[in-house]
Amino acid sequence: MLPTRLHPFRPRLLDALGGYDRATLAADIGAGLTVGVVALPLAMAFAIASGVKPEQGLFTAILAGLLISALGGSNVQIGGPAGAFIVIVYGILERYGLTNLLISTAMAGVLLFLMGLFKLGALVRYVPVAIVIGFTNGIAVLIGLSQVKDFFGLETPKLPGDFFAQIKLLAEHAHTVNPWAVAIAAVSLALVVLWPKSYRMPVGAVGIGPKLRRLSAHVPGTIVALVLATLAVTVFELPVETIGSRFGGIPHALPQLTLPAFDWETAKQLLIPTVTIALLGAIESLLCARVADTMIEAPRHDPNQELMAQGVANFVSPLFGGLPATGTIARTVTNVRAGGRTPVAGIVHALTILIVVLVAAPLARNVPLAALAGILAFVAWNMGEWREFVRLKRFSLQYRTILVGTFLLTVIFDLTVAVEVGLVLACAFFIHRMSTLFRVRALPRENLPPGVQAFELFGPLFFGAVGKIEALPAQIEPETRALVLDMHRLISIDTSGIEALEELHRRLQRRGIALVLANVNDQPLSLIRRSGFEERLGPDQIVPTMAAAFDNGDEEGGQAEDGEGGGVQEARQSPAGG
């Protein structure tokens, strides 16, 4: 039986190749080349910001990007190192070291694969949007803070992982600002922001000016900034830190397979980093795939296949020194707008980065870190949904609390704590909202027989709402001999609700009051019977209608097995209520 419940491993690439033609291939190659050029500086920048060597970001973009496109469940998703992982990777590296980071990434890959295999992809959609916005904005702030050192060319030791410690260290070394670094970073940032974007260009451009602008828009602003900054540093020998001065350059060779030293005792200590990487990877990739679905005319992505592909990529990437990888929204959107329609575009993107590494890696020695800091400052700004803070006043207190709380916890502590607390808050607020949907309303006494009180139950009776049932005995008048609960509008009940009804029954028995349940719907009635409460209450005390609760016991459901009347009639004959 178990294998039938597992999700079949079928990459979307197999379906996309059906009916594949030359025009689609040309479009995919063009899109793949464009995305590869866009991904090149980002891969290096993400790696450096994460505290590792730039080639590790490039290897991740090549290996993980290739596997995610070839094995994934989306037509156009582009995978690789992501800005959202910068803070996570830096924190794990600071606390556990590089070897344990690689082990955590590989174990997260296994976890992601299992999530997809057991069809848990849909569960990621239940993470509240307030939590996603909160931790995304928090990560954006931390990425921006991590780039202050290189943006201003500060001469500081390695930045600590703690938010306040980083601010203190940067403030203590503020006097070491390098004007050349500031100039390069500011110009690079301005170029990325102001450089024309291809998707903003008019379709029917007329004249030499608009045509030139449209042509230049197909060259990513990040590449323009990187090339110009590198030329400036090389030609004028500017005194700024470069990839070569900090890392010794980038090797122009394929990465070597290296198995990190693994032992079970160490792995058990890496549970939290592993879950953090897996959770963030799942959320980011599936959110990205959902965005892509709205932009193309193609079948919707398969979330479980996507998670399995993410799992394979994150298991293989660290074996070659790579970082955690996930779907990336900016590169995926670029792929779609450049004309990509199948996973072939993602494969071309990975091969493009590979060729650049093999051919042009030595040219990266003079890339200034200040230029990469300017690019990452733009990435951080674009990552955050800052308008949500302005719009907070339009939403409920619960939404504001979850969003702001997740944001602050991400910045001050870490993403794991933020998501855990955010989910707990979301669950608590959800339980509170659901409990308000359950109501108990007293029916008018003038419509009831003497000695009878009746209440109508509305909504779901679950553990968060049982207090309203527990409060009923205090509302029972002294002359009452029977209590009728009309459950026609009780849509569901859980075991805590059954326990509350049982406790109500016991308290009423001690006072000689019978409990009668009327109009019980299918789900509550099923649980009442399966729990044994029907036997303890007495089958005759559960009647199909309110009229049957007040009759003389002749109607269906109101006749006891021993011949006595059921419902309220039985309560009148037996003051003890059965």
Side-chain angles (χ1 to χ4, degrees), residues 85-132:
F85 274 121
I86 290 176
V87 179
I88 304 302
V89 171
Y90 191 91
I92 296 174
L93 196 65
E94 182 79 13
R95 183 176 300 180
Y96 300 99
L98 178 59
T99 299
N100 289 328
L101 168 64
L102 300 179
I103 293 174
S104 293
T105 304
M107 293 196 302
V110 175
L111 184 57
L112 282 166
F113 187 88
L114 293 176
M115 288 171 64
L117 187 65
F118 289 99
K119 301 182 180 181
L120 300 180
L123 295 181
V124 177
R125 299 179 181 178
Y126 295 124
V127 177
V129 66
I131 293 179
V132 175

Side-chain angles (χ1 to χ4, degrees), residues 23 55 84 116 118 130 190 195 203 250 254-255 259 275 335 376 399 404 412 430 440 446 500 526 540 575:
E55 61 262 28
F118 289 99
W195 191 260
V203 177
I250 297 175
L254 293 174
L259 297 177
V275 173
N335 180 38
L376 277 183
Y399 180 89
V404 175
I412 298 173
F430 176 76
V440 178
E446 57 268 19
S526 174
D540 300 317

Side-chain angles (χ1 to χ4, degrees), residues 518-570:
N519 289 327
V520 186
N521 289 315
D522 290 341
Q523 189 276 337
L525 183 60
S526 174
L527 188 55
I528 286 171
R529 287 172 173 168
R530 286 184 283 115
S531 66
F533 179 46
E534 182 182 34
E535 297 178 5
R536 292 185 288 275
L537 178 64
D540 300 317
Q541 300 304 99
I542 301 178
V543 295
T545 64
M546 286 295 287
F550 305 136
D551 71 5
N552 60 8
D554 294 330
E555 295 185 21
E556 180 184 357
Q559 181 68 41
E561 293 181 0
D562 59 3
E564 292 184 342
V568 173
Q569 179 69 16
E570 181 179 346

Side-chain angles (χ1 to χ4, degrees), residues 151 179-189 225 229-230 232-233 238 240 368-372 374:
F151 195 102
W180 292 109
V182 176
I184 290 173
V187 171
S188 298
L189 176 59
T230 303
V233 170
L238 301 179
V240 295
L369 299 181
L372 294 176

Side-chain angles (χ1 to χ4, degrees), residues 194-205 209-218:
L194 300 177
W195 191 260
K197 311 296 190 295
S198 60
Y199 55 86
R200 295 179 183 170
M201 293 292 100
V203 177
K211 288 183 178 179
L212 287 176
R213 289 194 71 224
R214 186 165 187 82
L215 183 63
S216 64
H218 287 286

